[in-house]
């Protein structure tokens, strides 16, 4: 009898230890993806825009984990980037080439594979793919772009509910609530935590309205770029801070300063209470008045010389400050979620990935927005914390893509990576291990005609060179030497000194298009769609 009791005890001990080993081997996944947050706005990337840590929680992830120096997207725009993340396939394969065409949720995606592999999954925040999310035990998503103030959310793809408050305070709270109340702790979790910020039009939380108002940001070197070194596409875009931003929506003026007309748009200001609007006016109006001095709005042609530089300085600073204010709220949210994980003893067994759906222009070339294959929008932040495998302060140099995130997450989860996923797992590079890696990345952008008038283009980038083909209503090539011209202002295409490089890059482009199954035929099909 005593033996039976002993062996039962032994067995249950063995079972318990196997189980705990198993749970330990299968980490939780916290995937944080912001909207339009660019590397230049993270101190840890060292681009020089920020003079110190503005966002301690993001910088903490970099310090305690890995910072990917060469992290890029395959199509620099919101919904397509999210479709690439979910499917691990290029836009021409998953079908979501731009923000407009519908996304097919019936196709395979990594959350479905995680679920089938024993994970509990949740999607909270912005997804921008329409339809009913598939692959999630729980979802609470913003409809489309969503709203900053008093936003609506859709529960499990079905019921729309309105919430009071700022979306960057609500989203992390929903993540914590789900973990606290709904997560089945017998399974590892995989949460997609997707803030809306810092998407246009950068509406700060009330408590941060004042933040950075006393800081003057210097123009980036290329702010007054005349686009002479490049082709038509860079000249014809509509994403100039000075010429294409709106006085109401972007600059937070209630009246157009040149015409005196009311520029208060129904959204987003219509969603705010009078108290909220008063708090806004207290911050923005004195600065607005200062800009115009004793001039009368509607009468002083400030867009004309000699005031253009002063106007540019004002617009650039308003833009940058508001952008950074909303990132601050995101950083707070990340801090709250990290604190929760720490308190629950979950921090060490969770792979935390911080990224954005693409990069963004913070005044480089005079621009905001994204879309181009130039570095600021082709790049996206990637910070990963997982102390079991990643040493603090790791810098990863390999060129990774958002295409790689699905295979990597499956790899961390110990699940097979389907053959038809096109990315590569960066789990080993993150752990500082050398594995065979790609020497070039492929890019293809399609949303033209569309907002900001960026022509369709595709191209290839190696560690040193970039070749781009702009097509549709133009047929132009550009090539850059990233080592000698990191700001990409000097188009080398057709330069006889670079004839050999050009030929090699053309070859690479042909090869990489074939490798990923893109072609002129497909490109034509999408053009006529
Ligand atoms: C809106 C914005 C654009 C932005 C697109 C796509 N205009 O149209 O500036 O490029 O979204 O953004 S706005 O006047 O409505 O703010 S994306 O991140 O969803 O791709
Ligand atoms: Ca985006």
């Amino acid at each position: 009898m005593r033996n039976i009791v002993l062996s039962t005890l032994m067995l249950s001990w063995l079972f318990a230890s196997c189980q705990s080993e198993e749970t330990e081997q299968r980490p939780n996944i916290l995937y944080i993806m912001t909207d339009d947050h660019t590397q230049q706005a993270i101190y840890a990337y060292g681009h020089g825009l920020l003079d110190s840590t503005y966002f301690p929680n993001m910088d903490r992830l970099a310090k305690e984990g890995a910072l990917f120096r060469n992290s890029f997207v395959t199509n620099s725009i919101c919904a397509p980037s999210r479709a690439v993340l979910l499917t691990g396939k290029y836009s021409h394969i998953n079908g979501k080439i731009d923000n407009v065409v519908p996304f097919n949720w019936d196709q395979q995606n990594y959350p479905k594979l995680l679920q089938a592999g024993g994970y509990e999954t949740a999607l909270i925040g912005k997804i921008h793919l329409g339809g009913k999310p598939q692959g999630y035990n729980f979802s609470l998503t913003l409809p489309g772009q969503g709203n900053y103030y008093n936003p609506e959310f859709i529960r499990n793809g079905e019921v729309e509910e309105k919430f009071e408050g700022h979306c960057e305070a609500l989203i992390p709270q929903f993540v914590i609530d789900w973990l606290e109340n709904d997560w089945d702790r017998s399974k590892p979790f995989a949460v997609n935590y997707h803030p809306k910020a810092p998407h246009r039009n950068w509406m700060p939380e009330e408590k941060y309205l004042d933040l950075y108002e006393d800081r003057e940001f210097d123009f980036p070197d290329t702010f007054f770029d005349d686009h002479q070194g490049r082709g038509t596409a860079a000249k014809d875009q509509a994403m100039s801070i000075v010429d294409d931003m709106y006085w109401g929506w972007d600059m937070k003026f209630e009246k157009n300063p040149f015409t005196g007309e009311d520029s208060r748009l129904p959204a987003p200001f219509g969603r705010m209470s009078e108290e909220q609007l008063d708090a806004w006016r207290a911050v923005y109006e004195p600065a607005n008045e200062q800009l115009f001095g004793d001039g009368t709005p509607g009468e002083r042609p400030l867009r004309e010389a000699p005031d253009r530089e002063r106007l540019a300085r004002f617009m650039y600073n308003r833009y940058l400050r508001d952008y950074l204010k909303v990132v601050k709220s995101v950083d707070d949210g990340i801090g709250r979620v990290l604190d929760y994980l720490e308190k629950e003893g979950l921090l060490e067994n969770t792979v935390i990935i911080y990224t954005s759906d693409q990069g963004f222009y913070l005044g480089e070339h005079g621009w905001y927005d994204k879309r181009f294959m130039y570095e600021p929008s082709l790049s996206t932040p990637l910070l990963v914390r997982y102390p079991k495998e990643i040493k603090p302060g790791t810098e990863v140099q390999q060129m990774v893509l958002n295409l790689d995130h699905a295979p990597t997450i499956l790899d961390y989860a110990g699940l097979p990576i389907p053959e038809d996923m096109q990315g590569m797992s960066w789990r080993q590079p993150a752990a500082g291990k050398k594995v065979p890696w790609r020497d070039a990345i492929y890019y293809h952008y399609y949303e033209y005609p569309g907002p900001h008038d960026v022509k369709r283009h595709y191209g290839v980038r190696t560690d040193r060179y970039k070749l781009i083909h702009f097509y549709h209503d133009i047929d132009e090539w550009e090539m850059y030497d990233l080592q000698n011209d990191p700001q990409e202002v000097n188009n080398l295409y057709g330069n006889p000194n670079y004839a050999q490089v050009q030929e090699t890059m053309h070859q690479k482009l042909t090869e990489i298009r074939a490798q990923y199954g893109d072609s002129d035929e497909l490109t034509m099909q999408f053009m006529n769609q």
Side-chain angles (χ1 to χ4, degrees):
M1 178 67 187
R2 196 160 164 258
N3 278 349
I4 294 176
V5 173
L6 265 182
S7 43
T8 317
L9 276 176
M10 283 282 283
L11 268 177
S12 51
W13 175 80
L14 258 175
F15 181 68
S17 64
C18 284
Q19 227 188 6
S20 76
E21 219 175 87
E22 165 133 331
T23 355
E24 262 183 37
Q25 277 165 2
R26 291 161 62 83
N28 304 303
I29 314 282
L30 178 67
Y31 186 90
I32 312 169
M33 186 168 71
T34 38
D35 194 353
D36 296 353
H37 189 212
T38 192
Q39 288 182 358
Q40 305 94 287
I42 297 183
Y43 182 62
Y45 271 97
H47 287 288
L49 173 74
L50 308 185
D51 49 21
S52 60
T53 291
Y54 285 44
F55 310 122
N57 296 297
M58 293 175 190
D59 284 320
R60 175 183 172 189
L61 293 178
K63 249 190 236 127
E64 295 180 2
L67 177 146
F68 286 69
R69 245 320 126 205
N70 294 296
S71 154
F72 305 104
V73 296
T74 61
N75 182 359
S76 179
I77 181 143
C78 186
S81 169
R82 290 152 203 269
V84 169
L85 158 70
L86 291 175
T87 60
K89 293 174 187 157
Y90 268 93
S91 308
H92 61 270
I93 307 282
N94 71 43
K96 183 67 182 159
I97 56 160
D98 57 28
N99 275 343
V100 183
V101 297
F103 175 65
N104 173 15
W105 278 102
D106 291 338
Q107 65 189 305
Q108 189 60 274
N109 71 26
Y110 86 81
K112 292 184 188 177
L113 296 168
L114 286 181
Q115 264 186 326
Y119 272 73
E120 178 135 295
T121 59
L123 166 64
I124 295 165
K126 183 172 173 183
I127 189 65
H128 199 189
L129 289 172
K132 189 175 153 106
Q134 291 185 31
Y136 293 100
N137 295 76
F138 174 80
S139 67
L140 194 55
T141 52
L142 290 164
Q145 299 281 14
N147 274 294
Y148 277 110
Y149 272 79
N150 310 323
E152 290 80 14
F153 282 83
I154 306 173
R155 194 176 289 272
N156 296 324
E158 277 161 4
V159 192
E160 191 164 298
E161 292 166 45
K162 189 168 178 181
F163 293 81
E164 292 299 307
H166 193 274
C167 73
E168 296 317 330
L170 290 166
I171 293 171
Q173 191 54 49
F174 295 152
V175 171
I176 294 170
D177 289 347
W178 182 79
L179 289 169
E180 179 73 15
N181 306 320
D182 295 330
W183 169 41
D184 167 1
R185 289 189 177 229
S186 69
K187 298 177 181 171
F189 70 75
V191 175
N192 287 83
Y193 159 17
H194 291 187
K196 166 184 168 63
H199 192 272
R200 192 180 182 189
N201 68 332
W202 320 289
M203 291 180 70
E205 250 184 285
E206 267 177 275
K207 67 174 177 186
Y208 285 140
L209 280 166
D210 255 336
L211 202 67
Y212 315 127
E213 283 297 314
D214 56 348
R215 293 188 201 193
E216 186 76 20
F217 293 94
D218 284 335
F219 292 125
D221 294 345
T222 58
F223 191 89
F224 294 104
D225 188 356
D226 59 7
H227 312 302
Q228 288 311 312
R230 281 163 295 171
T232 319
K235 273 190 221 97
D236 285 358
Q237 45 58 43
M239 46 197 264
S240 148
I241 293 173
V242 182
D243 296 317
D244 299 311
M245 279 197 172
Y246 300 131
W247 283 104
W249 179 248
D250 300 305
M251 290 290 113
K252 283 88 178 186
F253 274 64
E254 290 189 47
K255 286 200 186 328
N256 181 317
F258 300 101
T259 63
E261 276 164 19
D262 189 345
S263 67
R264 270 178 66 180
L265 303 170
F269 302 107
R271 306 181 67 88
M272 295 166 80
S273 66
E274 274 308 310
E275 291 87 64
Q276 286 169 334
L277 274 172
D278 284 345
W280 275 56
R281 288 181 185 124
V283 172
Y284 293 121
E285 276 191 359
N288 297 355
E289 276 161 23
Q290 235 183 9
L291 173 69
F292 288 95
D294 53 7
T296 314
E299 286 173 10
R300 288 185 67 191
L302 272 174
R303 274 179 197 240
E304 305 297 325
D307 285 328
R308 191 176 161 96
E309 179 162 345
R310 190 162 149 241
L311 183 68
R313 188 165 291 283
F314 176 89
M315 295 181 87
Y316 169 66
N317 271 283
R318 165 101 359 131
Y319 162 45
L320 216 68
R321 289 173 188 148
D322 285 351
Y323 181 97
L324 296 174
K325 288 174 203 178
V326 292
V327 179
K328 182 70 179 168
S329 296
V330 173
D331 192 69
D332 282 356
I334 294 174
R336 284 166 63 195
V337 174
L338 293 184
D339 286 349
Y340 177 80
L341 295 179
E342 198 151 28
K343 176 171 84 67
E344 296 294 308
L346 296 164
L347 197 54
E348 302 312 291
N349 196 38
T350 301
V351 179
I352 303 172
I353 300 171
Y354 178 80
T355 190
S356 190
D357 59 347
Q358 14 57 215
F360 213 69
Y361 295 89
L362 295 181
E364 298 81 7
H365 311 294
W367 296 342
Y368 65 106
D369 214 65
K370 49 254 179 179
R371 301 163 192 270
F372 277 108
M373 199 192 163
Y374 305 132
E375 294 292 280
S377 46
L378 174 68
S379 306
T380 198
L382 183 60
L383 309 171
V384 186
R385 184 188 188 281
Y386 185 43
K388 286 186 177 171
E389 290 186 12
I390 303 173
K391 287 204 197 79
T394 299
E395 274 224 7
V396 181
Q397 299 298 337
Q398 282 91 338
M399 288 189 287
V400 300
L401 288 163
N402 56 344
L403 184 75
D404 302 330
H405 297 191
T408 306
I409 291 168
L410 292 171
D411 193 5
Y412 276 121
L415 294 169
I417 302 166
E419 282 284 307
D420 62 352
M421 279 196 178
Q422 298 180 300
M424 301 167 77
S425 167
W426 41 252
R427 182 178 177 179
Q428 298 305 331
K433 300 203 177 111
K434 277 230 148 67
V435 287
W437 205 254
R438 57 167 76 90
D439 65 356
I441 56 164
Y442 179 58
Y443 181 87
H444 198 155
Y445 168 81
Y446 302 81
E447 195 173 276
Y448 180 87
H452 302 291
D453 298 346
V454 176
K455 309 274 188 199
R456 293 183 184 219
H457 57 289
Y458 57 83
V460 63
R461 181 200 190 277
T462 63
D463 60 350
R464 173 144 185 202
Y465 296 104
K466 189 184 287 181
L467 176 69
I468 316 176
H469 182 213
F470 290 94
Y471 68 95
H472 189 268
D473 53 3
I474 57 171
D475 178 10
E476 290 179 16
W477 292 86
E478 295 184 13
M479 191 175 78
Y480 297 97
D481 178 344
L482 300 170
Q483 194 173 299
N484 292 329
D485 175 29
Q487 289 168 332
E488 300 163 292
V489 287
N490 188 13
N491 177 15
L492 297 171
Y493 198 82
N495 179 329
N497 296 334
Y498 284 81
Q500 187 54 52
V501 174
Q502 190 173 307
E503 202 189 311
T504 312
M505 289 303 284
H506 266 293
Q507 255 166 29
K508 279 224 170 291
L509 183 59
T510 307
E511 279 162 25
I512 206 164
R513 294 190 92 201
Q515 179 193 340
Y516 289 116
D518 202 4
S519 63
D520 287 345
E521 293 70 49
L522 262 181
T523 304
M524 284 298 288
Q525 264 176 42
F526 287 125
M527 220 152 61
N528 298 323
Q529 189 165 284

